[in-house]
Structures are given as structure tokens and as C-alpha cells.
């Protein structure tokens, strides 16, 4: 491969790396700022706030004596408080000995502060990650709005080969005589979807200009690509949002469920897809992959998937979402990510699902680039999901992580004294070794899974 032909590929790598660095830097900055600001409010002095590790590229000292710096390696960060020996908040014996004679100076150190102040400062990092995620999800909810009830056509999706009588502004009342239920009733809407016959054209009864009219339209859930999952079979062959799959192995399809059944029944066999894209038609070969999917009732199920999301044959009209509802939805989204992450980890530990579901830095970087390429909204949502995962990971009771420090503080609260310094150093070493081992395992997954 000559250099000129390599340039587009190089540009793709740089885009992935840049997306990863931006996502990680935002998450780390928020996490460490949580430690810093709550520590400051609690009377603990921060000596260094560092975004990144290694040689310092830029730094300044503020009026409180904290050095803010950006380092060369943008894969993390830390806050070093007074009395800390290192970025992992190990105890600096010499600094603590110097401060011991002065109660005011001792109170400003991390290890001389009251237990409540230390606990709040350590817990603040993950909490700030969760808060940022909830606010992002809430912002997305407010930006997108909620679907108008009754289901109303906002914009028709371009579909090949079928003329539709639907118009923008039509409110759907019936499809083939089946009443369209309220969108608030999820059970009824699922039953409605199952009751709509898999055929086209279909007869729609709509409310148009305050009159009920009947028109012909497409099957409501066509094989139209709304989104492409990163690192999926669809992403590998460059399927794009807006594509419509019109046939599988030469058999015409018009319903997303037809595509789903064809993928599942192929059991990994390569499928030849006829794809319509902005008026052009071409063929693509796709090999479905086994995917462990979280289930609504809990647990996971392994299915053959191509990695696309579908939707309606039109963009539904939306209504504004109130701040309270948006914040509630954002918090629920964060809790959903936490539940799914813990469930997935538990199933991997028991062997119920593959450990290949655990991604390392390469996988996260590839996902960052893929989500960034799908637009700002997708990338920002990805940052929210990753921020939740980072906050959760830091709460694990592993020495050197925030959760490990909180366990030590819980021990101190119960016994009235902190763990022995020698024991602390040993546990810290074990914790760091465990974290490095987990990182290496995840990196192995990225390369070989």
C-alpha cells in the first residue's frame, strides 16, 4: 500500500483517536472536578488538578494555590490533595508529619480532614459523572420531545416503490381496521403492532383537517435503517442511516420483521442484501453476528443480529417535554445503564454470556469514532453512557479506585481508626495490579474477540 492510498485510512484513525480523546477528556474533567470542588467546599486543599498524565504541556497556579495543568497523555487525570503521596491518594508520611504540629494545616490535608469530608470528596467524582449523564439525557429528551398522542405524521420517510396517500399532519386513527391506541399504553401499542397485517399497501384511517379520511400507505415498520450500531456487521459493510433494504437473497421484503427473521434464520450465513440509498440500488453481502442482548424482564438472550435500528415509515410529530419530566427521564436512563452494566458483568462472571462483551480502550475508541460520525446528538449520548459506566466502575470496592477508598472509610467509621499504613500500601498495590489486569484483559478482547 503506497502512502497516498493510506491517507484516507490514516484520517479515519485520527478521527477515531480524536473522538476518543474528546469523550474521555470531558468525562475525566467532570469526574475530577467533582473531587476538587467538593474537597474545596469541605476545606481540603487541592495542590494539583491534572487533565492527563506524563509531561506537563500547560499549567497555571490559581489564587488558592492549586496548579491546573494539561499533560501529554490524555487518558485520564487526577486531583492531588495536600497530604497525598501520589495520584491514587496514598498517604505522604513526610507531609503529614510536617502538618501534624499545626491543627489548621492538618485540617487542610486529605488525610487529616474529618471522615465526612474525605468521604464526600471521594464520592463526588462518580456522583458528578452520574449527574452529568442525567443532565445530558434530560437535554436530549427536551431536544427530541415526546411523540404526540395520537400518533401523527411529521415527515414522510423516503421509501422506494410505493406511493402513499399519507400527508404531513395526519393523525392515525386505524390501520386496516385496527384502532391505534394511546402511546402511553405500551402493552396496548405492542398488541396493536402485532395485530396489523404484514402486507402492503394498507388502508389507513386518519384525521385530516378535522375530517376522517381513508388513504393507502406502506407497512408502518419498513426495513429502513434509522441507526447503525458501532462495531456491528452493518457497520462493517458501511450501511448508513436512511438506507432501505428491499430484498434478502433475492426475496423482496417490505417489513422490518421480515428482515429480522431472515437474519435470525440465517444463523451467521452470509446474506445478500438489496439496498436502496437516495434513489440508487446496489447489493451488499452481510454476515450476521451473535449478540448478547439485554431483555426487558432482565437477563440476556443471545441472538443473530446485523446491528441496525428501525422505526416507523414516517417521523412522528413531537411535543415539548417539561424540565421535570426530562430530568426524571434522564435519571431513569442513568439507572437503566447502571442496571444493564451490573447485569452484564454478573452474567459474564457466571459464564452466561461471552466476556467479549467487555470492551477495552480500542473498542471504546472505535465506538467513539462511530458515534461521532453519526452526528453530535449520537456522540453526546455516547458520552453520557460512558460517563455513567466510568462513575459505576469507580465505585467498585477495589483499592486505588474511589470505591476502595470508601470501603476504607467505612472501616474507619466502624473501628474508629484507619487501616494500618502497611496494610493500606499492600492493598493499594493489589488494587492497582487488579485494575491493570482488567485493562489487559479488555485490551485482549479488543484484539482477538
Amino acid at each position: 500500500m503506497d502512502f497516498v492510498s493510506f491517507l484516507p485510512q490514516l484520517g479515519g484513525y485520527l478521527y477515531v483517536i480524536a473522538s476518543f480523546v474528546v469523550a474521555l477528556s470531558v468525562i475525566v474533567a467532570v469526574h475530577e472536578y467533582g473531587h476538587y470542588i467538593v474537597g474545596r467546599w469541605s476545606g481540603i486543599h487541592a495542590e494539583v488538578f491534572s487533565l492527563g498524565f506524563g509531561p506537563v504541556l500547560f499549567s497555571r497556579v490559581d489564587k488558592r494555590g492549586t496548579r491546573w495543568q494539561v499533560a501529554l497523555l490524555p487518558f485520564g487525570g487526577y486531583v492531588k490533595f495536600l497530604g497525598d503521596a501520589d495520584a491514587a491518594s496514598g498517604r505522604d508520611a513526610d507531609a503529614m508529619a510536617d502538618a501534624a504540629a499545626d491543627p489548621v494545616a492538618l485540617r487542610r490535608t486529605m488525610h487529616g480532614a474529618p471522615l465526612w469530608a474525605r468521604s464526600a470528596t471521594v464520592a463526588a467524582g462518580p456522583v458528578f459523572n452520574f449527574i452529568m449523564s442525567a443532565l445530558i439525557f434530560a437535554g436530549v429528551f427536551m431536544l427530541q420531545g415526546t411523540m404526540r398522542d395520537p400518533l401523527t405524521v411529521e415527515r414522510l420517510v423516503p421509501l422506494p416503490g410505493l406511493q402513499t396517500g399519507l400527508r404531513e399532519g395526519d393523525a392515525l386513527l386505524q390501520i386496516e381496521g385496527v384502532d391505534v391506541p394511546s402511546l402511553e399504553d405500551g402493552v396496548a401499542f405492542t398488541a396493536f403492532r402485532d395485530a396489523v397485517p404484514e402486507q402492503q399497501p394498507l388502508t389507513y384511517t386518519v384525521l385530516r383537517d378535522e375530517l376522517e379520511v381513508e388513504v393507502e400507505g406502506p407497512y408502518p415498520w419498513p426495513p429502513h435503517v434509522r441507526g447503525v450500531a458501532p462495531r456491528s456487521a452493518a457497520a462493517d459493510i458501511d450501511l448508513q442511516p436512511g438506507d432501505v433494504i428491499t430484498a434478502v437473497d433475492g426475496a423482496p421484503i417490505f417489513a422490518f420483521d421480515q428482515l429480522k427473521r431472515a437474519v435470525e434464520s440465517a444463523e451467521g450465513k452470509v446474506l445478500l442484501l438489496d439496498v436502496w440509498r437516495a434513489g440508487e440500488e446496489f447489493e451488499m453481502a452481510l454476515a450476521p453476528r451473535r449478540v448478547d442482548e439485554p431483555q426487558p424482564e432482565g437477563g440476556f438472550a443471545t441472538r443473530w443480529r446485523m446491528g441496525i435500528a428501525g422505526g416507523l415509515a414516517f417521523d412522528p410529530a413531537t411535543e415539548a417535554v417539561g424540565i421535570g419530566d426530562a430530568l426524571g427521564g434522564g435519571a431513569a436512563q442513568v439507572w437503566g445503564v447502571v442496571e444493564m452494566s451490573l447485569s452484564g458483568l454478573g452474567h459474564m462472571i457466571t459464564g452466561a454470556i461471552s466476556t467479549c462483551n467487555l470492551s477495552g480502550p480500542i473498542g471504546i475508541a472505535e465506538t467513539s469514532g462511530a458515534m461521532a460520525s453519526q452526528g453530535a446528538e449520537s456522540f453526546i449520548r455516547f458520552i453520557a453512557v460512558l460517563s455513567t459506566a466510568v462513575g459505576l466502575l469507580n465505585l467498585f470496592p477495589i483499592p486505588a479506585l474511589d470505591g476502595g477508598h470508601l470501603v476504607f472509610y467505612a472501616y474507619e467509621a466502624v473501628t474508629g481508626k484507619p487501616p494500618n499504613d502497611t496494610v493500606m500500601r499492600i492493598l493499594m498495590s493489589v488494587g492497582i495490579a487488579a485494575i491493570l489486569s482488567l485493562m489487559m484483559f479488555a485490551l485482549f478482547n479488543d484484539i482477538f474477540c
Side-chain angles (χ1 to χ4, degrees):
M1 177 184 294
D2 58 39
F3 181 72
V4 173
S5 62
F6 180 69
L7 282 177
Q9 188 174 355
L10 176 62
Y13 290 146
L14 293 177
Y15 185 80
V16 167
I17 293 171
S19 301
F20 178 53
V21 169
V22 169
L24 190 61
S25 296
V26 170
I27 292 167
V28 169
V30 169
H31 180 96
E32 298 303 333
Y33 187 77
H35 289 314
Y36 163 78
I37 194 63
V38 173
R40 198 181 88 187
W41 292 339
S42 303
I44 303 172
H45 174 63
E47 293 186 307
V48 180
F49 185 109
S50 181
L51 191 59
F53 296 97
V56 176
L57 301 177
F58 166 81
S59 70
R60 73 173 184 87
V61 178
D62 67 16
K63 63 182 180 181
R64 294 183 177 84
T66 300
R67 185 170 77 249
W68 298 76
Q69 65 184 38
V70 177
L72 179 63
L73 303 176
F75 303 114
Y78 61 91
V79 177
K80 182 179 179 296
F81 291 102
L82 186 63
D84 286 345
D86 47 44
S89 200
R91 183 185 181 94
D92 186 335
D94 294 335
M96 293 304 297
D98 293 339
D102 184 353
V104 175
L106 183 63
R107 174 61 179 81
R108 297 181 72 230
T109 67
M110 181 63 168
H111 303 276
L115 183 60
W116 69 264
R118 285 177 280 149
S119 300
T121 299
V122 168
V127 169
F128 268 53
N129 280 133
F130 296 144
I131 291 173
M132 182 185 78
S133 298
L135 291 176
I136 289 176
F137 288 134
V140 172
F141 288 148
M142 294 185 70
L143 181 65
Q144 291 180 336
T146 184
M147 286 194 293
R148 186 183 302 168
D149 205 352
L151 189 60
T152 303
V153 177
E154 174 73 20
R155 185 187 70 90
L156 295 170
V157 170
L159 297 173
L162 180 68
Q163 298 297 320
T164 177
L166 290 173
R167 295 181 187 173
E168 295 178 2
D170 286 347
L172 275 58
L173 303 178
Q174 291 183 336
I175 301 179
E176 286 294 325
V178 181
D179 290 335
V180 180
S182 170
L183 297 173
E184 296 180 356
D185 190 340
V187 174
F189 200 85
T190 299
F192 156 73
R193 174 168 180 164
D194 293 339
V196 173
E198 200 172 88
Q199 66 185 50
Q200 71 173 10
L202 294 170
T203 300
Y204 286 71
T205 303
V206 302
L207 185 64
R208 177 184 298 170
D209 299 328
E210 299 184 356
L211 296 175
E212 288 190 16
V213 298
E214 288 190 352
V215 297
E216 285 192 344
Y219 185 74
W221 299 277
H224 172 253
V225 180
R226 289 280 184 168
V228 179
R231 308 180 72 204
S232 64
D236 286 348
I237 64 171
D238 199 29
L239 273 174
Q240 299 176 13
D243 289 349
V244 181
I245 298 166
T246 59
V248 179
D249 286 339
I253 62 171
F254 56 84
F256 194 89
D257 283 348
Q258 292 174 320
L259 175 63
K260 182 179 177 181
R261 291 194 295 269
V263 169
E264 291 177 341
S265 62
E267 298 185 343
K269 180 177 68 71
V270 175
L271 298 172
L272 190 62
L273 308 179
D274 289 358
V275 180
W276 181 90
R277 177 181 297 170
E280 297 183 7
E281 296 188 47
F282 48 89
E283 292 184 340
M284 305 181 83
L286 176 139
R289 294 180 185 166
R290 293 178 69 91
V291 176
D292 296 313
E293 292 183 340
Q295 300 300 297
E297 66 276 7
F300 286 76
T302 302
R303 301 282 189 268
W304 290 99
R305 293 289 184 258
M306 58 186 294
I308 65 170
L312 288 163
F314 55 87
D315 292 333
T318 59
E319 297 175 330
V321 177
I323 294 178
D325 290 339
L327 290 174
Q333 192 89 351
V334 170
W335 180 245
V337 174
V338 168
E339 280 191 317
M340 186 175 66
S341 299
L342 292 176
S343 177
L345 181 61
H347 282 75
M348 280 188 278
I349 291 173
T350 60
I353 62 175
S354 170
T355 56
C356 285
N357 287 282
L358 180 66
S359 294
I362 296 176
I364 296 172
E366 289 178 346
T367 304
S368 299
M371 300 309 288
S373 68
Q374 293 186 25
E377 182 180 316
S378 295
F379 184 55
I380 292 172
R381 283 181 61 90
F382 170 73
I383 289 177
V385 173
L386 187 58
S387 178
T388 302
V390 169
L392 177 62
L393 176 64
N394 271 277
L395 286 178
F396 284 2
I398 300 174
L401 293 181
D402 296 331
H405 287 290
L406 292 175
V407 170
F408 295 148
Y409 295 154
Y411 172 86
E412 183 178 346
V414 172
T415 64
K417 60 181 180 180
N420 179 275
D421 284 349
T422 301
V423 173
M424 285 279 288
R425 284 194 294 271
I426 294 173
L427 290 176
M428 283 290 189
S429 298
V430 172
I432 292 172
I435 294 168
L436 291 175
S437 298
L438 180 63
M439 291 176 61
M440 292 301 297
F441 180 74
L443 183 61
F444 179 89
N445 280 354
D446 289 340
I447 296 172
F448 296 104
C449 277

